[in-house]
Amino acid sequence: MPRLFPPRVFIVTTAALAAVAGLTPATVLAEPCTPISLVPGGSASVVEGVAPATGTACYTLSVQAGQTASLAVEGPNGMAFSVWGEADNRTVLSFTTRAGSYRIDVFQTFRAALAASFRLDVSVGTGAAAGIGASGTAPRWSLRDGALGATGMLTTADGTEVMISCDAGNRTREMAITAPALPGLPVADGAETRAAFAISRAGGEMRFPVLLRRYGDGWWRVEAGLTTGFLDAFAAGARMRLEAAGQTALEVGLGGTSAVRVSFRRHCGM
């Protein structure tokens, strides 16, 4: 008696076929796609779209050589994306760019009867200085996540560490900044100060008032102000500046923060 195996469904994207055949994307399919607009000179965008039941939602991303592009998608039904010439069927991806325009296809991995909405976070590192006194290539935010929560971390060229994290169990979020001293911020143990984060993004600058508290072992904690609006701007912005007592205490790039934001939603529901 012959053995019976359950049917299996494979979805192979055009990008994957192009890679196997050694063809450029334009050789396989030259259809118009929606351009992704970034902050002028930098760095980020949030794309909200609809993936059809079959086929893909198509976008293009224009970049310079040597930049670092980061993409992260979230949506139902195994939502994923492919970047032509780089990778196929991903939910998160970072890569070093070549000069030109990349095609990005967003699609539902599993067979679907209906179209589905998605959110695609895109950021491109500009190579500009990212910390007070920093020079050369901008440091990018790294991500550590898992069942207990998610943490995004960045270390500037002068050694200042910035960390933002969420706890999956109690649905809390926090940000900490570690440095011996920063302009405008008190250094006495327990001292509190009102400050503001200014985030530059498409459409201008957004400001978020926060309360910071100094701890004796050399770090500040953001005690209040990490709203959902702040997290969204943090993910889509190009740069973030911390202002206190009329001074710029810290300025960092936001390359890689889109993946941090997606992980906050996925693991902590925020």
Side-chain angles (χ1 to χ4, degrees), residues 25-26 29-38 44-47 56-64 69 71 81-84 95 97-98 100-106 118 120-124:
L29 187 61
E31 67 180 67
C33 299
T34 302
I36 296 175
S37 298
L38 301 176
S45 182
V46 176
V47 177
T56 68
C58 168
Y59 299 89
T60 57
L61 176 65
S62 296
V63 292
Q64 301 173 12
L71 300 92
F81 64 84
S82 293
V83 180
W84 287 41
F95 62 96
T97 61
R98 303 180 304 275
S101 182
Y102 285 85
R103 171 168 166 161
I104 302 166
D105 287 334
V106 184
F118 66 84
L120 178 68
D121 292 290
V122 181
S123 65
V124 178

Side-chain angles (χ1 to χ4, degrees), residues 34 52 68 71 108 119 132 257 264:
T34 302
T68 301
L71 300 92
Q108 301 182 63
R119 172 185 169 122
I132 301 298
T257 55
F264 269 46

Side-chain angles (χ1 to χ4, degrees), residues 13-196:
T13 68
T14 309
L17 293 174
V20 171
L23 303 176
T24 65
T27 306
V28 179
L29 187 61
E31 67 180 67
C33 299
T34 302
I36 296 175
S37 298
L38 301 176
V39 176
S43 160
S45 182
V46 176
V47 177
E48 294 183 341
V50 176
T54 58
T56 68
C58 168
Y59 299 89
T60 57
L61 176 65
S62 296
V63 292
Q64 301 173 12
Q67 296 180 303
T68 301
S70 295
L71 300 92
V73 71
E74 62 173 348
N77 205 33
M79 197 69 68
F81 64 84
S82 293
V83 180
W84 287 41
E86 291 294 335
D88 188 49
N89 196 23
R90 299 292 186 90
T91 57
V92 178
L93 175 68
S94 291
F95 62 96
T96 301
T97 61
R98 303 180 304 275
S101 182
Y102 285 85
R103 171 168 166 161
I104 302 166
D105 287 334
V106 184
F107 52 89
Q108 301 182 63
T109 304
F110 306 117
R111 179 178 292 168
L114 299 173
S117 298
F118 66 84
R119 172 185 169 122
L120 178 68
D121 292 290
V122 181
S123 65
V124 178
T126 62
I132 301 298
S135 61
T137 302
R140 294 178 58 79
W141 290 76
S142 61
L143 171 65
R144 294 184 300 183
D145 60 4
L148 298 180
T151 299
M153 299 184 68
L154 178 141
T155 302
T156 70
D158 62 3
T160 298
E161 295 182 353
V162 188
M163 179 188 74
I164 184 169
S165 62
C166 70
D167 186 299
N170 55 27
R171 294 294 194 269
T172 58
R173 66 197 78 166
E174 69 174 30
M175 177 180 282
I177 302 169
T178 302
L182 290 174
L185 296 185
V187 294
D189 186 17
E192 294 185 343
T193 187
R194 297 284 178 180

